[in-house]
Amino acid sequence: MKIISIEAYPFSLPTRRDFRWAGMLGQLGNFVVVRVETEGGVVGYGEATPLPDWGGDFGRHAGETIGTVITMIRTVFAPALIGTDVTAVTQAASIMDRVAVGNVYAKCALSIALYDAWGKSVGLPVYKLLGGAVRASVPVAHMVGLMPEKEALDEATLAVEDGVRALQIKGGVDAERDIRLVAALRTQFGEGIALRLDANQGYGHAKNAIAIVRRLVDAGVSLVEQPSEGVRYMADVTAASAVPIVADESCWDIHDAVDVLHARAADCISIYLAKAGGFSGACKVADLADAAMVRCDVNGSIESAIGTAANVHFALARPAVSLPAVITISAPAGRHPYRVAGHYYDDDILTEPMQVQDGAILPLDAPGLGISIDEDKLQAFRCDK
């Protein structure tokens, strides 16, 4: 099962509406697809969703773009991986780390493609390659982006009517708006819906963040994600908070996770496959969190069907990933199961919609990522032609 070719090129999907968060300058819906082919004719797909304006604490991580991901895959990683065994995923991760520092989005896209090809070659879904399912489905938290309060309330209401039981509310730009919106949502939904306010580091110094989090608690928030920047400030906020604090930007890989846990800088960790460089790195973070009895979710930058399928398999297979996932529910045009919940794109590159039940994505049981890619549609959405 040697790798004979690796391709990487950009594509875009049409968004249902504008979705933004604090500090975001670009648009959602722009991706890199990776296509790995083996000598036996098996094809594995991977995906990267790089955002150059989003990263870790104090700019220590990320900064990748569509262009850098494609260039690194074509010129550095592909030459190093072609000719190796597609099922040797641990070796592949070591090779990529040896030939290039960082570039975790590019590494993640290749990791996903290798697991997809491996699963297809042995007839197993990826979650079984990761150890098997520990839950029956993956509950979804719908992201309510930065938008006027009335629009945010309408978006959240429709998502809850669709069936999700958790919302991630983007904030961090105007704390007073965030507090008002959380209070309005709690009044609207009562206690049955989890309200997670994501500040994207927007509340600044620990003293300011502590004061805002206390008011959010009074308003009815369930969790607060990344209120401050840096492990030191996050530890102060976590110690003072009556609700769980989630680390996102502060925790990218296993080394960050060790620092976060040692400093008691968060009660929960938000895991991205991309932040950790792919499945192997993400599993390390989740397993460390599990040993420390720290709950996690799987999150990302609102991926297409390829990245979403990878997220679903990871969440199914890791005990610590028990919080609702902020991920897409992928479906081709006109066939989405929900009006709003998990519905970020008007179309996608898979042939059949993901199956859902009560606001949760059901397992993808076909070999590999468990989805069938519409190659014609993928080429139609390609951006470099």
Side-chain angles (χ1 to χ4, degrees), residues 36-383:
V36 171
E37 186 173 355
T38 75
E39 60 186 354
V42 175
V43 175
Y45 292 91
E47 175 192 316
T49 57
L51 294 169
D53 54 3
W54 188 85
D57 284 340
F58 311 114
R60 291 174 180 168
H61 296 290
E64 291 173 75
T65 68
I66 297 288
T68 62
V69 167
I70 292 172
T71 297
M72 289 298 295
I73 289 173
R74 289 177 178 174
T75 65
V76 179
F77 296 129
L81 293 177
I82 288 174
T84 65
D85 180 359
V86 77
T87 70
V89 293
T90 302
Q91 180 191 38
S94 296
I95 290 171
M96 289 191 286
D97 285 343
R98 186 176 71 247
V99 298
V101 174
N103 292 279
V104 289
Y105 278 80
K107 292 174 180 176
C108 176
L110 283 160
S111 171
I112 294 170
L114 295 176
Y115 271 87
D116 186 30
W118 177 18
K120 289 172 178 174
S121 71
V122 296
L124 293 173
V126 167
Y127 73 81
K128 291 192 176 181
L129 303 180
L130 296 174
V134 296
R135 54 185 54 87
S137 61
V138 179
V140 171
H142 181 70
M143 182 188 77
V144 179
L146 283 176
M147 58 185 74
E149 291 169 59
K150 176 61 167 62
E151 291 182 33
L153 185 58
D154 291 344
E155 176 87 3
T157 299
L158 290 172
V160 170
E161 289 177 357
D162 282 334
V164 298
R165 310 303 295 169
L167 299 169
Q168 184 204 51
I169 304 127
K170 292 295 188 180
V173 174
D174 179 352
E176 297 301 325
R177 171 262 187 197
D178 299 345
I179 294 163
R180 289 194 303 269
L181 180 55
V182 167
L185 291 169
R186 183 57 71 206
T187 299
Q188 174 86 357
F189 302 130
E191 296 302 317
I193 302 299
L195 302 178
R196 169 176 167 178
L197 192 288
D198 180 10
N200 285 116
Q201 305 174 311
Y203 295 151
H205 191 281
K207 287 187 177 180
N208 187 61
I210 288 168
I212 294 170
V213 168
R214 285 173 175 163
R215 294 180 64 195
L216 285 167
V217 171
D218 291 341
V221 80
S222 307
L223 306 92
V224 179
E225 181 178 342
Q226 200 67 43
S228 293
E229 182 174 15
V231 168
R232 181 164 62 93
Y233 287 164
M234 285 284 287
D236 291 341
V237 179
T238 299
S241 175
V243 299
I245 300 297
V246 183
D248 181 0
E249 287 92 339
S250 289
C251 188
W252 278 58
D253 54 21
I254 186 64
H255 306 292
D256 285 346
V258 169
D259 290 343
V260 166
L261 294 175
H262 182 263
R264 299 183 181 179
D267 303 292
C268 310
I269 292 174
S270 188
I271 301 174
Y272 293 26
L273 294 181
K275 289 192 300 186
F279 282 114
S280 297
C283 286
K284 290 178 182 178
V285 176
D287 293 343
L288 178 64
D290 188 45
M293 296 184 289
V294 168
R295 300 179 71 193
C296 303
D297 79 329
V298 60
N299 200 339
S301 299
I302 311 300
E303 288 84 354
S304 85
I306 297 169
T308 298
N311 286 331
V312 171
H313 286 283
F314 173 71
L316 285 170
R318 279 293 164 287
V321 185
S322 57
L323 295 173
V326 187
I327 60 175
T328 312
I329 298 171
S330 301
R335 301 181 63 190
H336 204 284
Y338 295 140
R339 294 169 299 171
V340 167
H343 188 170
Y344 303 101
Y345 301 115
D346 285 331
D347 201 357
D348 213 320
I349 56 174
L350 72 175
T351 60
E352 297 294 329
M354 292 182 177
Q355 299 300 301
V356 296
Q357 182 177 321
D358 300 326
I361 301 176
L362 299 178
L364 303 166
D365 283 322
L369 290 176
I371 57 174
S372 178
I373 300 298
D374 186 329
E375 281 280 0
D376 291 337
K377 189 176 288 185
L378 179 57
Q379 292 303 315
F381 286 133
R382 189 167 175 171
C383 301

